[in-house]
C-alpha cells in the first residue's frame, strides 16, 4: 500500500506559506521589478516618437495604437496591477523590516551603497511621480477633454500638444528630472538585486548582469530625460 | 591612551535603556577592546558601581560571543575582525567611542551589551545538521568531493554565529548567517539528502524569529568578521526557490 503522506497532494495553503516567507515575498519584488524594467524600455521607445519633428503625428498615432489595440490594452492593465503590487509589497516589506529593529542605533551601521539603503524612499518618489504623471497625461488622455487633430481624414487626440505644454514649464521639467534621478538609483540597486533574489549569481554571468544593470539604469534615464529637456529648450 | 566611552546601559529587555559616559585613562595600545572594557569594569567596581555586562568567551575570534557595535560598526571599524581581536591601537588617543549592543527584535537585550541570540539556535535546530550518524572518520576517498566545492563549503562553515550580520543589516535580517549554514551543508554530499527539507524549515525558523527580510544591501558581508560572502545568500534563495517550487517537499 502506498504511504498516504507520500501520495496525497497538498491543499493550496502551501502557496500562502511560500508567498508569505521572506524569500517568497522578495520573489514578488524581483519578478515585478524585472517586468517593470521591460515596461520602461517599451515606454521609452514610445517617447522617442516625440523627437521626430513631425509636429507630433508619430507620437499621437502611437498613443492611439497603445490605447486601442486589444492585446496592448491587456498588457497595460497587467502593468498597472504589477506597479501597484510592487509598490504595496515594497512598502509593506519596508514597514515589516523596520519593525525588526524596535530600538534604533545612536550611530547607524552603513557598509552598503546609498541606493541600496534607500530603496523605499526612492520608490516613494517614483510613485509620487507616477501619480502626477498619470493624472496629467494618462487621465487627461482617457477621460479629459482633449484638443483634436486630423491626419488623413481621421481624428486623433492631440496628446502631443499636452506634453508640449507640460514640458514648457520649468518646474514640471525639474520634477521630471528629479524623479528620473531617483529612478536611476532605484534601478542601480534593484536590477542586480532582482537577479540575486532569484538566486542567479554566477561567476560567469554576474559581471554581465552588473554591466547590463549599469547601462540599463543610466540609458533608460537618459532616454527619458531627452524629451523634456529637448522640448523645454525648444529643440 | 585616554578615551571617553559612551556605553549603552539597559537593565533588562523591558528597560528603555540609556547611554552613560565614562572616561578612562591608562589604556595600553596593545590591549584588545574587551581588555579595555575589563579596565572600565574594574574602575566601576572600585567606584562601587554596576559593571557593564558584555558577552565574550574565547577572546581569540572563534566563538562568536563578543558582540558590540562600536561607533556604528558591528565588531568595530577594522575589517574581518571580531571585537575581541580589535586592538586599541586602531583608535586615536582621546577618541570618544560609542558602544551599543546588537539591536534587533529577534535579539532582545539581556543586560547592557549582552543580547539573547537563542533565535540563532532555533534556526540551527530547524535543520542545521545532518541527521545520520557519521561514525568514525571515513576513508578519505570514499566520498569524492570536488576541491572547489570543499573550499566553498569550508568558507561558509567559517561562520561563528556572532550575529554581526543582523546588527549591520538595516532590515535586521539574518540571511547571511542562515545562508552560510544552509550553504556549508548543501554543498557537500553528506548534506545533500536533506537539503530541500533543511532550507525550507530553516527559512521558516528565520522568519518566525522576527528577523527582517533581505534586500541585498551587502552591509552584512561588509561587517562579517569571517568574511562570509553574500553569494551564499543567492545560493540560499536558489535552494529555497527550487525546494519550495520544484520539489514535493512541504512548504
Ligand atoms: S555570517 Fe558572519 S556576521 Fe553573520 S553570524 Fe556568521 S560570522 Fe557572524
Ligand atoms: S570572544 Fe570569542 S569570538 Fe570574540
Amino acid at each position: 500500500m502506498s504511504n498516504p503522506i507520500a501520495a496525497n497532494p497538498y491543499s493550496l495553503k502551501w502557496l500562502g506559506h511560500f508567498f508569505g516567507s521572506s524569500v517568497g515575498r522578495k520573489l514578488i519584488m524581483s519578478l515585478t521589478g524585472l517586468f517593470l524594467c521591460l515596461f520602461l524600455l517599451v515606454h521609452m521607445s514610445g517617447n522617442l516618437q516625440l523627437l521626430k519633428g513631425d509636429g507630433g503625428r508619430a507620437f499621437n498615432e502611437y498613443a492611439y495604437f497603445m490605447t486601442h489595440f486589444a492585446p496592448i490594452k491587456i498588457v497595460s492593465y497587467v502593468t498597472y496591477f504589477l506597479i501597484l503590487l510592487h509598490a504595496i509589497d515594497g512598502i509593506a516589506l519596508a514597514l515589516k523590516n523596520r519593525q525588526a529593529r524596535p530600538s534604533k542605533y545612536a550611530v547607524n551601521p552603513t557598509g552598503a551603497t546609498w541606493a541600496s539603503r534607500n530603496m523605499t524612499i526612492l520608490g516613494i518618489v517614483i510613485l509620487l511621480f507616477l501619480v502626477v504623471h498619470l493624472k496629467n497625461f494618462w487621465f487627461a488622455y482617457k477621460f479629459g477633454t482633449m484638443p483634436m487633430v486630423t491626419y488623413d481624414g481621421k481624428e486623433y487626440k492631440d496628446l502631443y500638444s499636452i506634453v508640449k505644454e507640460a514640458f514648457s514649464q520649468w518646474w514640471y521639467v525639474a520634477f521630471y528630472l528629479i524623479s528620473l534621478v531617483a529612478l536611476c538609483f532605484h534601478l542601480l540597486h534593484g536590477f542586480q538585486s532582482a537577479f540575486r533574489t532569484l538566486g542567479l549569481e554566477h561567476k560567469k554571468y554576474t559581471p554581465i548582469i552588473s554591466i547590463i544593470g549599469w547601462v540599463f539604469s543610466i540609458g533608460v534615464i537618459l532616454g527619458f530625460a531627452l524629451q523634456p529637456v529637448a522640448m523645454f529648450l525648444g529643440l | 591612551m585616554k578615551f571617553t566611552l559612551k556605553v549603552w546601559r539597559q537593565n533588562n529587555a523591558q528597560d528603555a535603556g540609556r547611554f552613560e559616559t565614562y572616561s578612562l585613562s591608562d589604556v595600553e595600545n596593545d590591549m584588545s577592546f574587551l581588555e579595555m572594557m575589563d579596565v572600565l569594569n574594574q574602575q566601576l567596581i572600585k567606584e562601587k558601581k554596576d559593571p557593564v555586562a558584555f558577552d565574550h568567551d574565547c577572546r581569540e575570534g572563534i566563538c562568536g560571543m563578543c558582540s558590540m557595535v562600536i561607533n556604528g560598526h558591528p565588531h568595530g571599524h577594522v575589517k574581518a575582525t571580531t571585537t575581541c581581536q580589535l586592538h586599541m591601537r586602531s583608535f586615536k588617543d582621546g577618541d570618544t567611542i560609542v558602544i551599543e549592543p546588537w539591536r534587533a527584535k529577534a535579539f532582545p537585550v539581556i543586560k547592557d551589551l549582552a543580547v539573547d541570540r537563542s533565535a540563532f539556535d532555533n534556526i540551527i535546530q530547524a535543520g542545521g545538521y545532518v541527521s545520520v550518524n557519521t561514525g568514525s572518520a571515513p576513508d578519505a576517498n570514499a566520498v569524492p568531493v570536488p576541491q572547489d566545492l570543499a573550499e566553498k563549503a569550508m568558507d561558509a562553515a567559517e561562520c561563528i554565529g556572532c550575529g554581526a550580520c543582523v546588527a549591520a543589516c538595516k532590515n535586521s535580517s539574518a540571511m547571511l548567517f542562515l545562508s552560510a549554514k544552509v550553504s556549508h551543508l548543501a554543498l557537500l554530499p553528506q548534506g545533500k539528502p536533506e537539503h530541500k527539507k533543511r532550507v525550507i524549515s530553516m527559512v521558516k525558523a528565520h522568519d518566525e524569529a522576527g528577523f527582517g527580510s533581505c534586500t541585498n544591501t551587502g552591509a552584512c558581508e561588509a561587517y562579517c568578521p569571517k568574511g562570509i560572502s553574500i553569494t551564499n545568500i543567492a545560493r540560499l534563495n536558489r535552494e529555497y526557490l527550487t525546494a519550495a517550487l520544484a520539489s514535493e517537499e512541504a512548504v
Side-chain angles (χ1 to χ4, degrees), chain B residues 34 55-67 75 82-85 160 162 225-226:
Chain B
L34 297 188
D55 267 323
H56 61 108
D57 188 13
C58 71
R59 296 205 174 193
E60 53 186 20
I62 54 172
C63 75
M65 275 313 277
C66 55
S67 45
H75 287 305
T82 53
T83 304
C84 57
Q85 294 288 295
I160 53 176
C162 63
K226 296 293 142 185

Side-chain angles (χ1 to χ4, degrees), chain B residues 64 74-75 82 102 107 117 120 156 158-168 173-181 220-221 223-229 232:
Chain B
H75 287 305
T82 53
W102 287 176
F107 287 162
R117 282 167 281 183
F120 271 12
E158 266 197 73
C159 165
I160 53 176
C162 63
C165 42
V166 177
S173 173
M175 279 291 158
L176 193 65
F177 163 78
L178 171 63
S179 69
K181 298 303 170 194
C220 51
E221 158 182 85
Y223 284 115
C224 172
K226 296 293 142 185
I228 303 293
S229 160
N232 289 298

Side-chain angles (χ1 to χ4, degrees), chain A residues 34 188 190-196 200-202 204-216:
Chain A
L34 289 174
L188 277 176
F191 190 84
Q192 49 87 24
S193 173
F195 286 92
R196 195 168 275 160
L200 300 176
E201 177 149 322
H202 194 282
K204 289 176 186 154
Y205 301 109
T206 301
I208 302 176
I209 291 173
S210 104
I211 292 171
I212 297 178
W214 275 90
V215 172
F216 179 78

Side-chain angles (χ1 to χ4, degrees), chain B residues 93-106:
Chain B
D93 195 12
D95 271 0
T96 298
I97 307 176
V98 182
I99 310 171
E100 301 176 70
W102 287 176
R103 294 194 194 272
K105 187 168 89 188

Side-chain angles (χ1 to χ4, degrees), chain B residues 193-210:
Chain B
E194 293 168 296
H195 76 127
K196 293 176 187 142
K197 200 192 185 84
R198 173 182 306 116
V199 68
I200 291 173
S201 59
M202 287 179 82
V203 167
K204 190 160 169 259
H206 168 277
D207 294 352
E208 280 170 358

Side-chain angles (χ1 to χ4, degrees), chain B residues 114-181:
Chain B
V115 299
D116 181 354
R117 282 167 281 183
S118 317
F120 271 12
D121 298 336
N122 296 340
I123 294 178
I124 295 295
Q125 279 159 16
Y129 49 80
V130 170
S131 49
V132 286
N133 285 336
T134 48
S136 55
D139 177 66
N141 294 325
V143 185
V145 181
Q147 177 71 11
D148 64 324
L149 290 192
E151 291 297 341
K152 283 179 185 160
M154 285 302 281
D155 283 350
E158 266 197 73
C159 165
I160 53 176
C162 63
C165 42
V166 177
C169 176
K170 77 175 189 44
N171 309 316
S172 305
S173 173
M175 279 291 158
L176 193 65
F177 163 78
L178 171 63
S179 69
K181 298 303 170 194

